[in-house]
Amino acid sequence: MASVAQIGTSTITGRVTDPSGAIVPEVKITVVQKATNFTSTAVTNTEGIYRVLSLQPGEYVVTFEASGFKRIVRDGLELRTGETLAVDTAMQVGQVTESIEVQGS
């Protein structure tokens, strides 16, 4: 069995929950590399887990959006070559037009 390495790329993954710790499926995740504005998207599965693959090293902003919850923006996330960065998030009940911004990792 052959394996293919994706040299120089990284992954952002995590689990999204609500304030009680229950999983939140169908959360839209938008990942933007700050230097290039390159955008990737994902949606949480039935376990509340998402994974964004093949990202270049650099600084990222990750946005989480779901109906019935406030939008969460995680800024200043530094991704290194070959790294898998876990970004777990707890959504807060509210309108998607309301935002919570978190700086740093």
Coordinates of all heavy atoms in Angstrom, one line a residue:
M1 N 0.8 -1.2 0.0 CA 0.0 0.0 0.0 C 0.9 1.2 0.0 O 1.8 1.4 0.8 CB -0.9 0.0 1.2 CG -1.8 1.2 1.3 SD -3.2 1.0 2.5 CE -2.4 0.7 4.0
A2 N 0.7 2.1 -0.9 CA 1.5 3.4 -1.0 C 0.8 4.5 -0.2 O -0.4 4.5 -0.1 CB 1.5 3.8 -2.5
S3 N 1.7 5.3 0.4 CA 1.1 6.4 1.1 C 1.7 7.7 0.4 O 2.8 7.7 0.0 CB 1.5 6.4 2.6 OG 2.8 6.8 2.8
V4 N 0.9 8.7 0.4 CA 1.2 10.0 -0.2 C 1.3 11.0 0.9 O 0.4 11.3 1.6 CB 0.2 10.4 -1.3 CG1 0.5 11.7 -1.9 CG2 0.1 9.3 -2.3
A5 N 2.5 11.7 1.0 CA 2.7 12.7 2.0 C 2.3 14.1 1.3 O 2.7 14.3 0.2 CB 4.1 12.7 2.5
Q6 N 1.7 14.9 2.1 CA 1.4 16.3 1.6 C 2.4 17.2 2.3 O 2.1 17.7 3.4 CB 0.0 16.7 2.0 CG -1.1 15.9 1.2 CD -2.5 16.4 1.5 OE1 -2.7 17.0 2.5 NE2 -3.4 16.1 0.5
I7 N 3.6 17.3 1.7 CA 4.7 18.0 2.3 C 4.3 19.5 2.4 O 3.8 20.1 1.4 CB 6.0 17.9 1.5 CG1 6.3 16.4 1.2 CG2 7.1 18.6 2.1 CD1 6.7 15.6 2.5
G8 N 4.6 20.1 3.5 CA 4.4 21.6 3.6 C 3.0 22.0 3.9 O 2.8 23.2 4.0
T9 N 2.0 21.1 4.1 CA 0.7 21.6 4.4 C 0.3 21.2 5.8 O 0.9 20.3 6.4 CB -0.4 21.1 3.4 OG1 -0.4 19.6 3.5 CG2 0.0 21.5 2.0
S10 N -0.7 21.9 6.3 CA -1.2 21.7 7.7 C -2.7 21.5 7.7 O -3.4 21.7 6.7 CB -0.7 22.9 8.5 OG 0.7 23.0 8.4
T11 N -3.2 21.3 8.9 CA -4.6 21.0 9.1 C -5.1 21.8 10.3 O -4.4 21.9 11.3 CB -4.9 19.5 9.3 OG1 -4.4 18.8 8.2 CG2 -6.3 19.2 9.5
I12 N -6.4 22.3 10.2 CA -7.1 22.8 11.4 C -8.3 21.9 11.6 O -9.0 21.6 10.6 CB -7.5 24.3 11.2 CG1 -6.3 25.2 11.1 CG2 -8.4 24.7 12.3 CD1 -6.6 26.7 10.8
T13 N -8.4 21.4 12.8 CA -9.5 20.5 13.1 C -10.1 20.9 14.5 O -9.5 21.6 15.2 CB -9.1 19.1 13.0 OG1 -10.2 18.2 13.2 CG2 -8.0 18.8 14.1
G14 N -11.2 20.4 14.8 CA -11.8 20.6 16.1 C -13.2 20.1 16.3 O -13.8 19.6 15.3
R15 N -13.8 20.4 17.4 CA -15.1 20.0 17.8 C -15.9 21.3 18.2 O -15.3 22.1 18.9 CB -15.1 19.0 18.8 CG -16.5 18.7 19.4 CD -16.5 17.5 20.3 NE -16.8 16.4 19.5 CZ -16.8 15.1 19.9 NH1 -16.5 14.9 21.1 NH2 -17.1 14.1 19.1
V16 N -17.1 21.4 17.8 CA -18.0 22.5 18.2 C -19.1 22.0 19.1 O -19.8 21.1 18.8 CB -18.5 23.2 16.9 CG1 -19.4 24.4 17.3 CG2 -17.4 23.6 16.0
T17 N -19.2 22.7 20.2 CA -20.3 22.4 21.2 C -21.1 23.6 21.5 O -20.7 24.7 21.2 CB -19.6 21.8 22.5 OG1 -18.7 22.8 23.0 CG2 -18.9 20.5 22.2
D18 N -22.2 23.4 22.3 CA -23.0 24.5 22.8 C -22.6 24.7 24.2 O -21.7 24.0 24.8 CB -24.5 24.2 22.6 CG -25.0 23.1 23.5 OD1 -24.3 22.7 24.4 OD2 -26.1 22.7 23.2
P19 N -23.2 25.7 24.9 CA -22.8 26.0 26.3 C -22.9 24.8 27.3 O -22.2 24.8 28.2 CB -23.7 27.2 26.7 CG -24.1 27.8 25.4 CD -24.2 26.7 24.4
S20 N -23.8 23.9 27.0 CA -24.0 22.7 27.9 C -23.0 21.6 27.6 O -22.9 20.6 28.2 CB -25.4 22.2 27.8 OG -25.6 21.5 26.5
G21 N -22.2 21.8 26.5 CA -21.2 20.7 26.1 C -21.7 19.8 25.0 O -21.0 18.9 24.6
A22 N -23.0 20.0 24.6 CA -23.6 19.1 23.6 C -23.0 19.5 22.2 O -22.7 20.7 22.0 CB -25.1 19.3 23.5
I23 N -22.8 18.5 21.3 CA -22.3 18.8 20.0 C -23.2 19.6 19.2 O -24.4 19.6 19.4 CB -22.0 17.4 19.3 CG1 -23.3 16.6 19.2 CG2 -20.9 16.7 19.9 CD1 -23.3 15.7 18.0
V24 N -22.6 20.4 18.2 CA -23.4 21.2 17.3 C -23.1 20.8 15.9 O -22.0 21.1 15.4 CB -23.2 22.7 17.5 CG1 -24.0 23.6 16.6 CG2 -23.4 23.1 19.0
P25 N -24.0 20.1 15.2 CA -23.7 19.7 13.8 C -24.1 20.9 12.9 O -24.8 21.8 13.3 CB -24.7 18.5 13.6 CG -25.8 18.8 14.6 CD -25.2 19.5 15.7
E26 N -23.7 20.8 11.6 CA -24.0 21.8 10.6 C -23.5 23.2 10.9 O -24.2 24.2 10.5 CB -25.5 21.8 10.4 CG -26.1 20.5 10.0 CD -25.7 20.0 8.7 OE1 -25.7 20.8 7.7 OE2 -25.4 18.8 8.5
V27 N -22.4 23.3 11.6 CA -21.8 24.6 11.8 C -20.9 24.9 10.6 O -20.1 24.1 10.2 CB -20.9 24.7 13.1 CG1 -20.2 26.0 13.3 CG2 -21.8 24.4 14.3
K28 N -21.1 26.1 10.0 CA -20.2 26.5 8.9 C -18.9 27.1 9.4 O -19.0 28.0 10.2 CB -21.0 27.5 8.0 CG -20.1 27.9 6.8 CD -20.8 29.0 6.0 CE -19.9 29.5 4.9 NZ -20.3 30.7 4.3
I29 N -17.8 26.6 9.0 CA -16.5 27.0 9.4 C -15.8 27.7 8.2 O -15.8 27.0 7.1 CB -15.6 25.9 10.0 CG1 -16.2 25.4 11.3 CG2 -14.2 26.4 10.2 CD1 -17.1 24.3 11.2
T30 N -15.3 28.9 8.3 CA -14.6 29.6 7.3 C -13.2 29.9 7.8 O -13.0 30.4 8.9 CB -15.3 30.9 6.9 OG1 -16.7 30.6 6.5 CG2 -14.6 31.6 5.7
V31 N -12.2 29.4 7.1 CA -10.8 29.6 7.4 C -10.1 30.5 6.4 O -10.1 30.2 5.2 CB -10.1 28.2 7.5 CG1 -8.6 28.3 7.8 CG2 -10.8 27.3 8.5
V32 N -9.6 31.6 6.9 CA -8.9 32.6 6.0 C -7.5 32.8 6.4 O -7.2 33.1 7.5 CB -9.7 33.9 6.0 CG1 -9.0 34.9 5.0 CG2 -11.2 33.7 5.6
Q33 N -6.6 32.6 5.4 CA -5.2 32.9 5.7 C -5.0 34.4 5.5 O -5.3 35.0 4.5 CB -4.2 32.2 4.7 CG -2.8 32.4 5.1 CD -1.8 31.7 4.2 OE1 -2.1 31.4 3.0 NE2 -0.7 31.3 4.7
K34 N -4.5 35.1 6.6 CA -4.5 36.5 6.6 C -3.6 37.1 5.5 O -3.9 38.1 4.9 CB -4.0 37.0 8.0 CG -5.1 36.7 9.0 CD -4.7 37.2 10.4 CE -5.1 38.6 10.7 NZ -4.9 39.0 12.1
A35 N -2.4 36.5 5.3 CA -1.4 37.0 4.3 C -1.9 37.0 2.9 O -1.7 37.9 2.1 CB -0.1 36.3 4.4
T36 N -2.7 36.0 2.5 CA -3.1 35.8 1.1 C -4.6 35.9 0.9 O -5.0 36.0 -0.3 CB -2.7 34.4 0.6 OG1 -3.5 33.4 1.4 CG2 -1.2 34.1 0.8
N37 N -5.4 36.0 2.0 CA -6.9 36.0 1.9 C -7.4 34.7 1.3 O -8.6 34.7 0.9 CB -7.3 37.2 1.1 CG -8.4 38.0 1.9 OD1 -8.6 37.8 3.1 ND2 -9.1 38.9 1.2
F38 N -6.6 33.6 1.2 CA -7.1 32.3 0.7 C -8.1 31.8 1.7 O -7.9 31.8 2.9 CB -5.9 31.4 0.5 CG -6.4 30.0 0.0 CD1 -6.6 29.9 -1.4 CD2 -6.5 29.0 0.8 CE1 -7.0 28.7 -1.9 CE2 -7.0 27.7 0.3 CZ -7.2 27.6 -1.1
T39 N -9.3 31.4 1.2 CA -10.4 30.9 2.0 C -10.7 29.4 1.8 O -10.8 29.0 0.7 CB -11.6 31.8 1.8 OG1 -11.3 33.1 2.0 CG2 -12.8 31.4 2.7
S40 N -10.9 28.7 2.9 CA -11.3 27.3 2.9 C -12.6 27.2 3.8 O -12.7 28.0 4.7 CB -10.3 26.4 3.4 OG -9.1 26.4 2.6
T41 N -13.5 26.3 3.4 CA -14.7 26.2 4.3 C -14.9 24.7 4.6 O -14.4 23.8 4.0 CB -15.9 26.7 3.6 OG1 -16.1 26.0 2.3 CG2 -15.8 28.2 3.3
A42 N -15.6 24.5 5.7 CA -16.0 23.1 6.1 C -17.3 23.2 6.9 O -17.7 24.4 7.2 CB -14.9 22.6 7.0
V43 N -17.9 22.1 7.2 CA -19.2 22.0 8.0 C -19.0 20.9 9.0 O -18.5 19.9 8.6 CB -20.4 21.8 7.1 CG1 -21.6 21.6 7.9 CG2 -20.6 22.9 6.0
T44 N -19.4 21.2 10.2 CA -19.3 20.1 11.2 C -20.2 18.9 10.9 O -21.3 19.1 10.4 CB -19.6 20.6 12.6 OG1 -20.9 21.2 12.7 CG2 -18.6 21.6 13.1
N45 N -19.7 17.7 11.2 CA -20.5 16.5 10.9 C -21.5 16.3 12.1 O -21.6 17.1 13.0 CB -19.6 15.3 10.7 CG -18.7 15.0 11.9 OD1 -19.0 15.4 13.0 ND2 -17.7 14.2 11.6
T46 N -22.1 15.1 12.1 CA -23.1 14.8 13.2 C -22.5 14.7 14.6 O -23.2 14.7 15.6 CB -23.9 13.5 12.8 OG1 -22.9 12.5 12.7 CG2 -24.7 13.7 11.6
E47 N -21.1 14.6 14.6 CA -20.4 14.5 15.9 C -19.9 15.9 16.3 O -19.2 16.0 17.3 CB -19.2 13.6 15.7 CG -19.5 12.2 15.1 CD -19.8 11.2 16.2 OE1 -19.1 11.1 17.2 OE2 -20.8 10.5 16.0
G48 N -20.2 16.9 15.5 CA -19.7 18.3 15.8 C -18.3 18.5 15.4 O -17.6 19.5 15.8
I49 N -17.7 17.6 14.6 CA -16.3 17.6 14.3 C -16.1 18.2 12.8 O -16.9 17.9 12.0 CB -15.6 16.3 14.4 CG1 -15.7 15.8 15.8 CG2 -14.2 16.3 13.8 CD1 -15.3 14.3 16.0
Y50 N -15.1 19.0 12.7 CA -14.7 19.5 11.3 C -13.2 19.3 11.1 O -12.5 19.2 12.1 CB -15.1 21.0 11.2 CG -14.2 21.9 12.0 CD1 -13.1 22.5 11.5 CD2 -14.5 22.1 13.4 CE1 -12.2 23.3 12.2 CE2 -13.6 22.9 14.2 CZ -12.5 23.5 13.6 OH -11.7 24.3 14.3
R51 N -12.8 19.4 9.8 CA -11.4 19.3 9.5 C -11.2 20.1 8.2 O -11.9 19.9 7.2 CB -11.1 17.8 9.3 CG -9.6 17.6 8.9 CD -9.3 16.1 8.9 NE -9.5 15.5 10.2 CZ -8.4 15.2 11.0 NH1 -7.2 15.4 10.6 NH2 -8.6 14.6 12.1
V52 N -10.2 20.9 8.2 CA -9.8 21.7 7.0 C -8.4 21.3 6.7 O -7.5 21.6 7.5 CB -9.9 23.2 7.2 CG1 -9.6 24.0 6.0 CG2 -11.3 23.6 7.7
L53 N -8.2 20.7 5.5 CA -6.9 20.1 5.1 C -6.2 21.0 4.2 O -6.7 21.9 3.6 CB -7.1 18.7 4.5 CG -7.9 17.7 5.3 CD1 -8.3 16.6 4.4 CD2 -7.2 17.3 6.5
S54 N -4.9 20.7 3.9 CA -4.0 21.3 2.9 C -3.9 22.8 3.0 O -4.0 23.5 2.0 CB -4.6 20.9 1.5 OG -4.6 19.5 1.3
L55 N -3.7 23.2 4.2 CA -3.5 24.7 4.5 C -2.0 25.0 4.5 O -1.2 24.2 5.0 CB -4.1 25.1 5.8 CG -5.6 24.9 5.9 CD1 -6.1 25.1 7.4 CD2 -6.3 25.8 5.0
Q56 N -1.6 26.1 4.0 CA -0.3 26.6 4.0 C 0.1 27.2 5.4 O -0.8 27.7 6.1 CB 0.0 27.7 2.9 CG -0.2 27.1 1.5 CD 0.7 26.0 1.2 OE1 1.9 26.1 1.5 NE2 0.2 24.9 0.7
P57 N 1.3 27.1 5.8 CA 1.7 27.8 7.1 C 1.4 29.3 7.1 O 1.4 29.9 6.0 CB 3.2 27.5 7.2 CG 3.5 26.4 6.2 CD 2.4 26.5 5.2
G58 N 1.1 29.8 8.2 CA 0.8 31.2 8.3 C -0.2 31.5 9.4 O -0.6 30.6 10.2
E59 N -0.7 32.8 9.4 CA -1.7 33.2 10.4 C -3.1 33.1 9.8 O -3.3 33.5 8.7 CB -1.4 34.6 10.9 CG -2.2 35.1 12.1 CD -1.8 36.4 12.6 OE1 -0.7 37.0 12.2 OE2 -2.5 36.9 13.5
Y60 N -4.0 32.6 10.6 CA -5.4 32.4 10.1 C -6.4 33.0 11.0 O -6.2 33.2 12.2 CB -5.6 30.9 10.1 CG -5.0 30.2 8.9 CD1 -3.7 29.8 8.9 CD2 -5.7 30.0 7.7 CE1 -3.1 29.2 7.8 CE2 -5.1 29.4 6.6 CZ -3.8 29.0 6.7 OH -3.2 28.5 5.6
V61 N -7.6 33.3 10.4 CA -8.8 33.7 11.1 C -9.8 32.6 10.8 O -10.0 32.2 9.7 CB -9.3 35.0 10.6 CG1 -10.7 35.4 11.3 CG2 -8.3 36.1 10.8
V62 N -10.4 32.0 11.9 CA -11.4 31.0 11.7 C -12.8 31.5 12.3 O -12.8 32.0 13.4 CB -11.0 29.7 12.5 CG1 -12.1 28.6 12.3 CG2 -9.7 29.2 12.0
T63 N -13.8 31.4 11.4 CA -15.1 31.9 11.8 C -16.1 30.7 11.9 O -16.1 29.8 11.0 CB -15.7 32.9 10.8 OG1 -14.7 34.0 10.7 CG2 -17.0 33.5 11.2
F64 N -16.9 30.7 12.9 CA -17.9 29.6 13.2 C -19.3 30.3 13.1 O -19.5 31.2 13.8 CB -17.7 29.0 14.5 CG -16.3 28.4 14.7 CD1 -15.3 29.2 15.1 CD2 -16.1 27.0 14.5 CE1 -14.0 28.6 15.3 CE2 -14.9 26.5 14.7 CZ -13.8 27.3 15.0
E65 N -20.2 29.7 12.3 CA -21.6 30.3 12.1 C -22.6 29.1 12.1 O -22.4 28.1 11.4 CB -21.7 31.1 10.9 CG -20.8 32.3 10.8 CD -21.0 33.0 9.5 OE1 -20.4 32.6 8.5 OE2 -21.7 34.1 9.5
A66 N -23.6 29.3 12.9 CA -24.7 28.3 12.9 C -26.0 29.0 13.3 O -26.0 29.9 14.2 CB -24.4 27.2 13.9
S67 N -27.1 28.6 12.8 CA -28.4 29.2 13.1 C -28.7 29.0 14.6 O -28.5 27.9 15.1 CB -29.5 28.4 12.2 OG -30.7 29.0 12.5
G68 N -29.2 30.1 15.2 CA -29.5 30.1 16.6 C -28.3 30.3 17.5 O -28.5 30.3 18.8
F69 N -27.1 30.6 17.0 CA -25.9 30.9 17.8 C -25.2 32.1 17.3 O -25.3 32.5 16.1 CB -24.9 29.7 17.6 CG -25.4 28.4 18.2 CD1 -26.1 27.5 17.5 CD2 -25.3 28.2 19.6 CE1 -26.6 26.3 18.0 CE2 -25.7 27.0 20.1 CZ -26.4 26.0 19.3
K70 N -24.5 32.8 18.2 CA -23.7 33.9 17.8 C -22.5 33.5 17.0 O -22.0 32.4 17.2 CB -23.2 34.6 19.1 CG -24.2 35.2 20.0 CD -23.6 35.8 21.2 CE -24.7 36.3 22.2 NZ -24.2 36.9 23.4
R71 N -22.1 34.3 16.0 CA -21.0 34.0 15.2 C -19.7 34.1 16.1 O -19.6 35.1 16.9 CB -20.9 34.9 14.0 CG -19.7 34.7 13.2 CD -19.7 35.5 11.9 NE -20.5 36.7 12.0 CZ -20.1 37.9 11.6 NH1 -19.0 38.0 10.9 NH2 -20.8 39.0 11.7
I72 N -18.8 33.2 16.0 CA -17.5 33.3 16.7 C -16.4 33.5 15.8 O -16.3 32.7 14.8 CB -17.3 32.0 17.6 CG1 -18.4 32.0 18.7 CG2 -15.9 32.0 18.2 CD1 -18.3 30.9 19.7
V73 N -15.5 34.4 16.0 CA -14.3 34.7 15.2 C -13.1 34.4 16.1 O -12.9 35.1 17.1 CB -14.3 36.1 14.7 CG1 -13.1 36.4 13.8 CG2 -15.6 36.4 13.9
R74 N -12.3 33.5 15.6 CA -11.0 33.2 16.3 C -9.9 33.8 15.4 O -9.7 33.3 14.3 CB -10.8 31.7 16.5 CG -11.9 31.0 17.3 CD -11.7 31.1 18.8 NE -10.5 30.7 19.3 CZ -10.2 29.5 19.8 NH1 -11.2 28.6 19.8 NH2 -9.0 29.2 20.2
D75 N -9.2 34.8 15.9 CA -8.2 35.5 15.2 C -6.8 35.2 15.7 O -6.7 34.8 16.9 CB -8.5 37.0 15.2 CG -7.7 37.8 14.2 OD1 -6.9 37.2 13.4 OD2 -8.0 39.0 14.1
G76 N -5.8 35.4 14.9 CA -4.4 35.2 15.3 C -4.0 33.8 15.6 O -3.1 33.5 16.4
L77 N -4.5 32.8 14.8 CA -4.1 31.4 15.0 C -3.0 31.2 14.0 O -3.1 31.3 12.8 CB -5.3 30.5 14.6 CG -6.5 30.7 15.5 CD1 -7.7 29.9 14.9 CD2 -6.2 30.2 16.9
E78 N -1.8 30.8 14.6 CA -0.6 30.6 13.8 C -0.5 29.1 13.5 O -0.5 28.2 14.4 CB 0.6 31.0 14.7 CG 1.9 31.1 13.9 CD 1.9 32.1 12.8 OE1 1.4 33.2 13.0 OE2 2.5 31.9 11.8
L79 N -0.3 28.8 12.2 CA -0.2 27.4 11.8 C 1.2 27.2 11.2 O 1.6 27.9 10.3 CB -1.3 27.2 10.7 CG -1.6 25.7 10.3 CD1 -2.1 24.9 11.5 CD2 -2.7 25.7 9.3
R80 N 1.9 26.1 11.7 CA 3.2 25.8 11.2 C 3.2 24.7 10.2 O 2.2 23.9 10.2 CB 4.1 25.5 12.4 CG 4.4 26.6 13.4 CD 5.4 26.3 14.4 NE 5.3 26.6 15.8 CZ 4.2 26.7 16.5 NH1 3.0 26.5 16.1 NH2 4.2 27.0 17.8
T81 N 4.2 24.5 9.5 CA 4.3 23.4 8.5 C 4.1 22.1 9.1 O 4.7 21.7 10.1 CB 5.7 23.5 7.8 OG1 5.9 24.7 7.2 CG2 5.8 22.4 6.7
G82 N 3.2 21.3 8.5 CA 3.0 19.9 9.0 C 2.2 19.8 10.3 O 2.0 18.7 10.7
E83 N 1.7 20.9 10.8 CA 1.0 20.9 12.1 C -0.5 20.6 11.9 O -1.1 20.9 10.9 CB 1.2 22.3 12.7 CG 0.5 22.4 14.0 CD 0.7 23.8 14.7 OE1 0.7 24.8 13.9 OE2 0.9 23.9 15.9
T84 N -1.1 19.9 12.9 CA -2.5 19.8 13.0 C -2.9 20.6 14.2 O -2.6 20.2 15.4 CB -2.9 18.3 13.2 OG1 -2.5 17.6 12.0 CG2 -4.4 18.2 13.3
L85 N -3.6 21.7 14.0 CA -4.0 22.6 15.0 C -5.4 22.3 15.4 O -6.3 22.4 14.6 CB -3.8 24.1 14.5 CG -4.2 25.2 15.5 CD1 -3.2 25.1 16.7 CD2 -4.1 26.5 14.8
A86 N -5.6 22.0 16.7 CA -7.0 21.8 17.3 C -7.6 23.1 17.7 O -7.0 23.8 18.6 CB -6.9 20.8 18.4
V87 N -8.7 23.4 17.1 CA -9.4 24.6 17.5 C -10.9 24.2 17.8 O -11.7 24.2 17.0 CB -9.4 25.7 16.3 CG1 -10.1 27.0 16.8 CG2 -8.0 26.0 15.9
D88 N -11.0 23.9 19.1 CA -12.4 23.5 19.6 C -13.1 24.8 20.0 O -12.4 25.8 20.5 CB -12.3 22.6 20.9 CG -11.7 21.3 20.5 OD1 -11.7 20.9 19.3 OD2 -11.1 20.6 21.4
T89 N -14.4 24.9 19.8 CA -15.2 26.1 20.1 C -16.5 25.7 20.8 O -17.1 24.8 20.4 CB -15.4 26.8 18.8 OG1 -14.1 27.2 18.2 CG2 -16.2 28.1 19.0
A90 N -16.9 26.6 21.7 CA -18.2 26.5 22.3 C -19.0 27.6 21.8 O -18.7 28.8 22.1 CB -18.1 26.5 23.9
M91 N -20.1 27.3 21.1 CA -21.0 28.3 20.5 C -21.9 28.9 21.6 O -22.2 28.2 22.6 CB -21.9 27.7 19.4 CG -21.1 27.1 18.3 SD -20.3 28.2 17.2 CE -21.6 29.0 16.4
Q92 N -22.2 30.2 21.5 CA -23.1 30.8 22.5 C -24.4 31.1 21.8 O -24.5 31.5 20.7 CB -22.5 32.2 22.9 CG -21.1 32.0 23.6 CD -21.2 31.2 24.9 OE1 -22.1 31.4 25.7 NE2 -20.2 30.3 25.0
V93 N -25.5 30.8 22.5 CA -26.9 31.0 22.0 C -27.1 32.5 21.7 O -26.7 33.3 22.5 CB -27.9 30.5 23.0 CG1 -29.3 30.8 22.5 CG2 -27.7 29.0 23.2
G94 N -27.7 32.8 20.6 CA -27.9 34.1 20.2 C -28.2 34.2 18.7 O -28.3 33.2 18.0
Q95 N -28.2 35.4 18.2 CA -28.4 35.6 16.7 C -27.1 35.6 16.0 O -26.0 36.0 16.5 CB -29.1 37.0 16.5 CG -30.4 37.1 17.1 CD -31.4 36.1 16.6 OE1 -31.5 35.8 15.4 NE2 -32.1 35.4 17.5
V96 N -27.1 35.1 14.8 CA -25.8 35.0 14.0 C -25.2 36.4 13.7 O -24.1 36.5 13.4 CB -26.0 34.1 12.7 CG1 -26.6 34.9 11.6 CG2 -24.8 33.5 12.3
T97 N -26.1 37.4 13.8 CA -25.6 38.8 13.6 C -24.8 39.3 14.7 O -24.1 40.3 14.6 CB -26.8 39.7 13.3 OG1 -27.7 39.6 14.4 CG2 -27.5 39.4 12.0
E98 N -24.9 38.6 15.9 CA -24.0 38.9 17.0 C -22.7 38.2 16.9 O -22.7 37.0 16.4 CB -24.7 38.5 18.3 CG -26.0 39.2 18.6 CD -26.7 38.7 19.9 OE1 -26.3 39.2 20.9 OE2 -27.5 37.8 19.8
S99 N -21.6 38.8 17.3 CA -20.3 38.1 17.2 C -19.6 38.1 18.5 O -19.7 39.0 19.3 CB -19.4 38.8 16.1 OG -20.0 38.7 14.9
I100 N -18.7 37.1 18.6 CA -17.8 37.0 19.7 C -16.4 36.8 19.1 O -16.2 35.9 18.2 CB -18.1 35.8 20.6 CG1 -19.4 35.9 21.3 CG2 -17.0 35.6 21.7 CD1 -19.9 34.7 22.0
E101 N -15.5 37.7 19.4 CA -14.1 37.6 18.8 C -13.1 37.2 19.8 O -13.1 37.7 20.9 CB -13.7 39.0 18.2 CG -12.4 38.8 17.4 CD -12.2 40.0 16.4 OE1 -13.2 40.6 16.0 OE2 -11.0 40.2 16.1
V102 N -12.3 36.2 19.5 CA -11.3 35.7 20.4 C -9.9 35.9 19.7 O -9.7 35.4 18.6 CB -11.5 34.2 20.7 CG1 -10.5 33.7 21.6 CG2 -12.9 33.9 21.2
Q103 N -9.0 36.6 20.4 CA -7.7 36.8 19.8 C -6.7 35.8 20.3 O -6.8 35.3 21.5 CB -7.2 38.2 20.3 CG -7.9 39.4 19.7 CD -7.6 39.6 18.3 OE1 -6.6 39.3 17.8 NE2 -8.6 40.1 17.5
G104 N -5.8 35.4 19.5 CA -4.7 34.5 19.9 C -5.1 33.0 19.9 O -6.3 32.7 19.5
S105 N -4.2 32.1 20.2 CA -4.5 30.7 20.1 C -4.9 30.1 21.4 O -4.8 30.7 22.5 CB -3.3 30.0 19.6 OG -2.1 30.3 20.3

